[in-house]
Amino acid sequence: MSRSAKLPVWADIALIPLINVLLAFLAAGAVVAFIGENPLDAVEVLIRGAFGYDEGVGYTLYYTTNFIFTGLAVAVAFHAGLFNIGGEGQAYIGGLGVGLVCLALDSFLPWWLLLPVAIAAGMLFGAAWAFIPGYLQAYRGSHVVITTIMFNFIASALMVYLLVNVLIKPGQMAPETRDIADGSTLPLMHELFAQFGIKITQTPLNLSIFVALLASFLVWVLIWRTRWGYAIRMIGHNESAAVYSGINPKRMVVVAMAISGSLAGLVAINEVMGAQQRIVLDFVAGSGFTGIAVALMGRNHPVGIIIASLLFGALFQGGAELAFEFSTITRDLVVVIQGLVILFCGALAYMMRGPLERLFGLLQSTGKGE
């Protein structure tokens, strides 16, 4: 009987996610075949829709940007042993901060001066919204899963009230603010490319994707190269050992949740200052929940989160093309396909670990025998 062996790092961070994605696509292919369509044709349409032309690539990267922010937010909390599922509400309230700053200062500041102020406002509002569940978890024993769920509902209700009664543009029926002044919105990519004489199709993709990549690098530095990151990982792995080494777990729980919320709040840079150019209802559109699957699939590492975000961005954009090209593949069925990917890459992420460990153990035994 072969013994299990510890998986190498490359197998843990690359091989297992790759196998899970392949299993998810096999299951999705079975669903597509069941309704009478050719799975290979569906895969071709999905990939072509996501990466086959400039507009598709633009939308894929636009969705990817949101998922990077929310995936990082979930990952930071995971490292502290917390399950923050309030990214949806934290991103929504972060949008309130970004929107208020942009609407107040857009008459005075160009976008490049307004951007750092908007980033600070979005992170501050998101952090404040996550601080309360973090405090309740650390000092009052309230489970952060329950409180963050409730705070998602509270954020939604609060934003509806503000957009209907307080922030709505006078004289209009739609619950949304006025537009941010043209010179103060985040430049879209097709506008930047046009400056260099390159014409690409207009999409919501904007400069915030570079903010997302910078945030990924800073999260890596925070978690693996700073004392705070060490303390966050310590309380996530062994709280008793953390206390023994002089770390205050309650304070670090609050800090980790605040950092997590601030990252979720950055979604508003992409949406409010970039794509929508105003505050609208439900601009987060489920990105906070998708970030959970992104973080799980990316093994809570910034590099893995970027790759997983790109996959989910492609699924969202390519899925829309699937629903357009095939009359039998409805939008609901596309959601089922996306759900299968989330199931295999999230809930069943460790399903293949045991068989792979036994396989590597068998290979090592065979190598020693020779």
Side-chain angles (χ1 to χ4, degrees), residues 8-370:
V9 175
W10 65 268
D12 190 38
I13 65 175
L15 184 59
I16 290 180
L18 179 62
I19 293 174
N20 287 333
V21 170
L22 291 176
L23 290 174
F25 277 112
L26 283 176
V31 173
V32 172
F34 180 76
I35 63 172
E37 297 291 351
N38 187 333
L40 294 180
D41 291 341
V43 170
E44 181 187 355
V45 169
L46 191 149
I47 295 176
R48 178 160 41 84
F51 299 110
Y53 57 107
D54 60 349
E55 185 179 9
V57 173
Y59 273 95
T60 297
L61 294 179
Y62 159 66
Y63 294 128
T64 299
T65 305
N66 284 345
F67 299 149
I68 290 175
F69 287 133
T70 54
L72 292 173
V74 174
V76 169
F78 266 145
H79 282 295
L82 303 168
F83 193 34
N84 176 20
I85 58 175
E88 192 82 2
Q90 291 147 20
Y92 214 0
I93 296 301
L96 177 63
V98 172
L100 290 177
V101 164
C102 289
L103 293 172
L105 301 177
D106 61 350
S107 301
F108 312 103
L109 299 178
W111 71 267
W112 52 275
L113 283 178
L114 190 55
L115 179 60
V117 183
I119 288 175
M123 295 183 72
L124 181 63
F125 274 60
W129 203 248
F131 171 85
I132 303 172
Y135 178 85
L136 294 174
Q137 162 90 25
Y139 294 96
R140 291 292 181 269
S142 304
H143 202 289
V144 74
V145 171
I146 305 300
T147 51
T148 49
I149 288 175
M150 298 311 299
F151 267 65
N152 284 340
F153 286 105
I154 296 171
S156 179
L158 176 63
M159 291 298 284
V160 169
Y161 171 79
L162 292 176
L163 289 175
V164 171
N165 299 288
V166 181
L167 299 174
I168 189 171
K169 179 182 177 182
Q172 73 175 15
M173 295 296 290
E176 58 190 35
T177 65
R178 68 167 174 83
D179 290 345
I180 300 170
D182 288 340
S184 297
T185 58
L186 212 53
L188 300 176
M189 280 300 183
H190 74 277
E191 298 171 340
L192 289 177
F193 275 80
Q195 299 292 324
F196 299 97
I198 302 173
K199 185 178 181 181
I200 61 173
T201 307
Q202 180 177 348
T203 66
L205 180 64
N206 55 72
L207 282 180
S208 59
I209 189 168
F210 298 112
V211 179
L213 296 177
L214 177 62
S216 302
F217 173 72
L218 293 179
V219 166
W220 176 79
V221 172
L222 169 71
I223 297 298
W224 281 279
R225 290 292 184 273
T226 66
R227 293 169 62 91
W228 271 17
Y230 176 79
I232 288 173
R233 286 185 288 129
M234 192 70 163
I235 64 171
H237 282 91
N238 191 326
E239 186 173 326
S240 299
V243 173
Y244 186 74
S245 60
I247 296 171
N248 185 336
K250 292 182 178 179
R251 184 175 64 185
M252 291 314 301
V253 164
V254 177
V255 168
M257 280 299 293
I259 294 173
S260 178
S262 67
L263 290 166
L266 288 175
V267 170
I269 298 299
N270 187 31
E271 291 292 339
V272 175
M273 194 177 179
Q276 309 294 339
Q277 302 183 352
R278 62 191 185 283
I279 307 177
V280 300
L281 278 181
D282 198 27
F283 66 82
V284 185
S287 298
F289 298 118
T290 306
I292 298 171
V294 167
L296 287 170
M297 184 178 174
R299 294 290 188 273
N300 299 315
H301 191 284
V303 174
I305 287 170
I306 292 172
I307 297 172
S309 298
L310 185 61
L311 171 66
F312 278 91
L315 283 173
F316 270 67
Q317 169 57 21
E321 292 288 332
L322 272 179
F324 181 76
E325 291 285 342
F326 296 91
S327 59
T328 53
I329 301 179
T330 64
R331 187 64 193 165
D332 292 334
L333 186 60
V334 172
V335 174
V336 170
I337 294 172
Q338 293 167 351
L340 285 171
V341 175
I342 293 174
L343 176 68
F344 279 92
C345 299
L348 303 178
Y350 295 101
M351 180 176 65
M352 297 304 298
R353 175 178 289 276
L356 275 178
E357 287 176 343
R358 288 192 289 276
L359 176 62
F360 274 80
L362 176 63
L363 293 175
Q364 288 181 358
S365 301
T366 304
K368 290 177 181 177
E370 292 176 350

